[in-house]
């Protein structure tokens, strides 16, 4: 076989370099290569403490890939880091499988519930179009988004509620972007490309992006305010409830001294942010955009066929069944989601395989990313990275442990997986209780601190809340220019308030 010429080899190497991580900036590609080269070398030369050092380094590098989600979807660079962690012995495949088995309900939820909501989008878009066009006050509208997200998240998983909000935002954005590009409502259009947007609409488009950003963030924060309150609100809540032997009512009453004050404080802050127009909030819906959305609403109402009206009725009935099934916890959320898919597709005549497949396009990339994250969690577990924090908290005087545990959980949950953090801490606390070192009352107090600590301060970053990360890596984030840094900035006032109120109530009433 003839050897390749110098020019051919050079061209091939350039092609490989360009293909690696696609359209990502060159500096990003070079930095990822540096990470992948440095980690095994550091592990090799750093001696007995190499696992801990490289473990924290891997965690920092993975968080970096999440922070740069708009430069490159984190699945590829984060996945390379995860694969390397397995190859160099930082985590075993068995440990990763255990993390997946422990979090199987979350995986099923992402696979099926998010896809199920896809078939309910016409109803949701119809309902929220009426709400947004009917409520002219941005302050009241934001409060309604935050409140409704909180109430729904007490019975639905936060990812499900976030998927609904994302679907609504994408629907509104695509309608306006299409008209701003000089096209009719029914015309095919790429709403991710601004080249065709007419100059007269450019300023209103930026204002509309700001309007949607604020609603999305209020809604995402609302999922945290509501999700902390019930045992089915977040996956880690179930783990804690099981360890403390609480049922639904017991869990709600145990958390209420912390969650109720925090809930009302969060709603009050929502109003203040909108009225003060602080931290990127307060952007109003431009009048021209409102007119287009109203025209679209009238257009849809006038053209709605009997079959489409019947489809909305079916979706409404299934929505009621969904709420009842989740409220009564008839099955795992993911299985309920699969039931929603079956009922909606059967009831609305959606029987084509490719049409059904489109429902999974939004959720499966994030599901894959979550499994990659479980690999990093396995590294944390096998290298005992959090062990010093646990030992420090449990060495404090008993009366200080709840507050310290709240802060420790909050700090670690902001940079890691809150399900894992809650599982680690509640296991350690339960062991102390079983050993007779703490009373049942104090064990329950520490369980409250673990739950609220992993749910409230973790809104600081998208890493801490799966709903925030889902929002950051969704289709709507680049459309409305919602970057990692902007999300952290917009979440900052909520982070400070929820942490302070949570800490004060944990120390005073628990």
């Amino acid at each position: 076989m003839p050897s390749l010429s110098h020019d051919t080899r050079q061209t091939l190497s350039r092609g490989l370099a360009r293909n690696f991580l696609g359209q990502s900036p060159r500096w990003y590609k070079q930095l990822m290569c540096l990470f992948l080269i440095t980690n095994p070398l550091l592990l090799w030369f750093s001696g007995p403490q190499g696992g801990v050092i490289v473990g924290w380094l891997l965690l920092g590098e993975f968080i970096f890939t999440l922070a740069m989600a708009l430069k490159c979807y984190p699945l590829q660079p984060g996945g390379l880091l995860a694969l390397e962690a397995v190859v160099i012995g930082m985590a075993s495949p068995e440990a990763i499988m255990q993390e997946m088995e422990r979090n199987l309900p979350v995986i099923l939820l992402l696979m099926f519930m998010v896809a199920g909501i896809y078939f309910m989008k016409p109803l949701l878009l119809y309902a929220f179009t009426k709400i947004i066009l009917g409520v002219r006050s941005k302050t009241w509208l934001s409060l309604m988004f935050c409140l409704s997200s909180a109430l729904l998240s007490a019975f639905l998983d936060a990812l499900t509620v976030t998927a609904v909000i994302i679907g609504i935002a994408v629907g509104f954005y695509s309608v306006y972007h299409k008209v701003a590009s000089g096209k009719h409502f029914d015309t095919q259009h790429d709403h991710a490309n601004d080249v065709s947007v007419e100059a007269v609409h450019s300023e209103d488009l930026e204002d509309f992006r700001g309007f949607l950003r604020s609603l999305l963030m209020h809604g995402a924060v609302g999922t945290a305010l509501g999700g902390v309150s019930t045992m089915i609100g977040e996956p880690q809540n179930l783990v804690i409830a099981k360890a403390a032997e609480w049922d639904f009512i017991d869990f709600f009453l145990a958390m209420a001294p912390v969650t109720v004050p925090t809930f009302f404080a969060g709603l009050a802050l929502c109003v203040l942010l909108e009225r003060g127009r602080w931290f990127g909030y307060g952007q109003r819906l431009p009048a021209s955009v409102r007119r287009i959305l109203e025209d679209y609403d009238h257009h849809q109402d006038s053209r709605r066929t009997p079959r489409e009206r019947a489809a909305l009725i079916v979706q409404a009935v299934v929505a009621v069944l969904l709420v009842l099934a989740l409220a009564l916890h008839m099955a795992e959320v993911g299985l309920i989601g699969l039931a929603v898919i079956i009922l909606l597709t059967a009831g609305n005549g959606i029987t084509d395989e490719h049409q059904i497949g489109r429902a999974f396009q939004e959720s499966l990339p994030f599901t894959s990313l979550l499994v990659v994250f479980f690999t990093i969690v396995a590294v944390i577990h096998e290298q005992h990275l959090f062990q010093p924090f646990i030992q420090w908290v449990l060495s404090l005087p008993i009366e200080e442990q709840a507050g310290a545990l709240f802060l420790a959980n909050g700090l670690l949950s902001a940079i890691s997986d809150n399900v894992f953090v809650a599982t680690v801490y509640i296991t350690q606390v339960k062991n102390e209780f079983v050993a007779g070192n703490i009373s049942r009352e104090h064990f329950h107090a520490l369980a409250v601190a673990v739950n609220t600590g992993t749910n409230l301060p973790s809104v600081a970053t998208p890493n801490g809340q799966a709903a925030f990360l889902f929002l950051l890596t969704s289709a709507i984030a680049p459309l409305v220019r919602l970057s990692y840094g902007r999300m952290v900035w917009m979440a900052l006032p909520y982070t400070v308030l929820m942490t302070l109120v949570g800490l004060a109530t944990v120390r005073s009433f628990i």
Side-chain angles (χ1 to χ4, degrees):
M1 182 176 178
S3 61
L4 296 175
S5 67
H6 175 73
D7 290 342
T8 302
R9 289 196 300 270
Q10 199 172 35
T11 303
L12 182 60
S13 63
R14 283 199 298 268
L16 291 171
R18 289 180 179 178
N19 286 342
F20 179 67
L21 298 183
Q23 299 299 317
S24 303
R26 179 180 294 181
W27 64 264
Y28 184 92
K29 298 180 181 183
Q30 292 171 343
L31 192 58
M32 285 306 306
C33 290
L34 179 64
F35 289 162
L36 294 171
I37 294 171
T38 302
N39 292 333
L41 293 178
L42 188 60
L43 182 66
W44 179 267
F45 291 108
S46 55
Q49 294 299 317
V52 174
I53 295 172
V54 176
W56 280 108
L57 189 61
L58 271 169
L59 180 59
E61 292 166 354
F62 187 74
I63 291 173
F64 170 80
T65 66
L66 298 176
M68 295 290 107
L70 298 183
K71 300 293 184 184
C72 178
Y73 189 70
L75 175 62
Q76 290 75 32
L80 290 174
L81 292 172
L83 288 172
E84 182 181 67
V86 175
V87 171
I88 63 178
M90 297 292 293
S92 65
E94 293 75 18
I96 299 169
M97 194 64 198
Q98 288 176 2
E99 292 295 333
M100 292 179 61
E101 291 172 351
R102 185 182 298 120
N103 291 281
L104 183 60
V106 181
I107 296 173
L108 291 176
L109 178 142
L110 283 170
M111 290 175 61
F112 297 131
M113 182 60 79
V114 175
I117 295 300
Y118 173 88
F119 296 108
M120 208 177 289
K121 283 182 179 179
L123 173 67
L124 295 169
L125 186 57
Y126 173 81
F128 276 86
T129 299
K130 301 298 184 183
I131 292 173
I132 288 184
L133 296 180
V135 181
R136 291 185 173 269
S137 168
K138 176 63 187 310
T139 301
W140 281 108
L141 184 61
S142 299
L143 184 62
M144 185 179 296
F145 259 71
C146 190
L147 177 61
S148 59
S149 297
L151 294 178
L152 286 171
S153 294
F155 298 97
L156 300 175
D157 186 86
L159 290 174
T160 305
V161 179
T162 305
V164 171
I165 297 172
I166 290 171
I168 295 161
V170 171
F172 283 141
Y173 184 88
S174 62
V175 167
Y176 177 70
H177 198 279
K178 189 180 296 184
V179 175
S181 301
K183 298 179 180 178
H184 192 263
F185 295 133
D186 298 326
T187 307
Q188 291 294 324
H189 177 65
D190 179 13
H191 54 256
N193 191 344
D194 289 346
V195 173
S196 59
V197 174
E198 298 173 354
V200 69
H201 293 293
S202 296
E203 184 176 348
D204 284 343
L205 178 60
E206 288 303 315
D207 291 341
F208 188 40
R209 283 171 173 152
F211 172 83
L212 290 177
R213 275 198 306 268
S214 61
L215 288 184
L216 287 166
M217 286 302 296
H218 286 311
V221 171
T223 64
L225 290 171
V228 67
S229 303
T230 68
M231 64 180 289
I232 59 175
E234 291 286 352
Q236 66 267 25
N237 298 14
L238 286 170
V239 176
I240 295 168
K242 183 178 179 181
E245 299 179 353
W246 285 328
D247 60 20
F248 188 94
I249 300 300
D250 291 334
F251 186 95
F252 176 80
L253 294 176
M255 299 299 159
V258 180
T259 57
V260 172
T262 307
F263 173 76
F264 285 107
L267 295 182
L269 180 60
C270 174
V271 174
L272 290 175
L273 290 173
E274 283 298 322
R275 289 192 178 277
R277 300 195 178 192
W278 301 321
F279 292 90
Y281 295 97
Q283 185 65 57
R284 272 48 176 174
L285 179 64
S288 64
V289 180
R290 177 179 292 277
R291 285 194 297 270
I292 288 173
L293 294 180
E294 288 174 343
D295 291 343
Y296 174 75
D297 185 42
H298 295 322
H299 174 76
Q300 291 296 96
D301 286 344
S302 64
R303 298 190 60 208
R304 191 166 285 114
T305 64
R307 183 176 181 180
E308 289 172 337
R309 286 195 291 271
L312 290 176
I313 293 172
V314 170
Q315 291 169 40
V317 171
V318 173
V320 173
L321 295 176
L322 169 64
V323 172
L324 290 175
L326 290 165
L328 299 175
H329 201 53
M330 293 180 177
E332 287 292 346
V333 177
L335 297 181
I336 295 174
L338 180 57
V340 167
I341 294 173
I342 294 170
L343 291 173
L344 287 178
T345 53
N348 289 333
I350 303 172
T351 57
D352 180 75
E353 179 182 358
H354 298 289
Q355 194 175 2
I356 295 172
R358 283 195 289 270
F360 294 88
Q361 291 178 356
E362 183 74 26
S363 61
L364 287 185
F366 183 75
T367 306
S368 304
L369 176 60
L370 195 65
V371 174
V372 168
F373 190 68
F374 291 156
T375 305
I376 306 301
V377 172
V379 171
I380 295 171
H381 180 74
E382 294 207 337
Q383 302 303 321
H384 309 289
L385 300 185
F386 289 173
Q387 196 64 34
F389 290 95
I390 297 171
Q391 294 174 348
W392 170 72
V393 170
L394 296 180
S395 68
L396 294 173
I398 287 181
E399 62 274 10
E400 298 179 11
Q401 289 183 10
L405 200 57
F406 176 89
L407 290 176
N409 275 263
L411 174 63
L412 295 177
S413 294
I415 62 172
S416 181
D417 175 50
N418 46 15
V419 178
F420 171 73
V421 174
T423 303
V424 170
Y425 274 105
I426 198 63
T427 301
Q428 295 293 325
V429 173
K430 182 68 178 286
N431 291 340
E432 292 293 310
F433 168 66
V434 172
N437 297 328
I438 58 176
S439 65
R440 178 177 292 276
E441 292 74 17
H442 189 60
F443 167 57
H444 285 172
L446 295 182
V448 172
V450 171
N451 183 69
T452 54
T454 53
N455 277 289
L456 297 178
S458 58
V459 301
T461 71
N463 313 89
Q465 286 280 339
F468 278 44
L469 186 59
F470 185 37
L471 175 58
L472 178 68
T473 56
S474 69
I476 192 61
L479 297 180
V480 299
R481 309 299 187 256
L482 186 61
S483 64
Y484 188 100
R486 177 170 274 167
M487 185 177 286
V488 170
W489 174 249
M490 295 182 74
L492 180 59
Y494 282 110
T495 303
V496 173
L497 180 72
M498 292 164 66
T499 301
L500 291 178
V501 175
L503 178 61
T505 50
V506 163
R507 297 184 65 176
S508 301
F509 302 113
I510 302 301

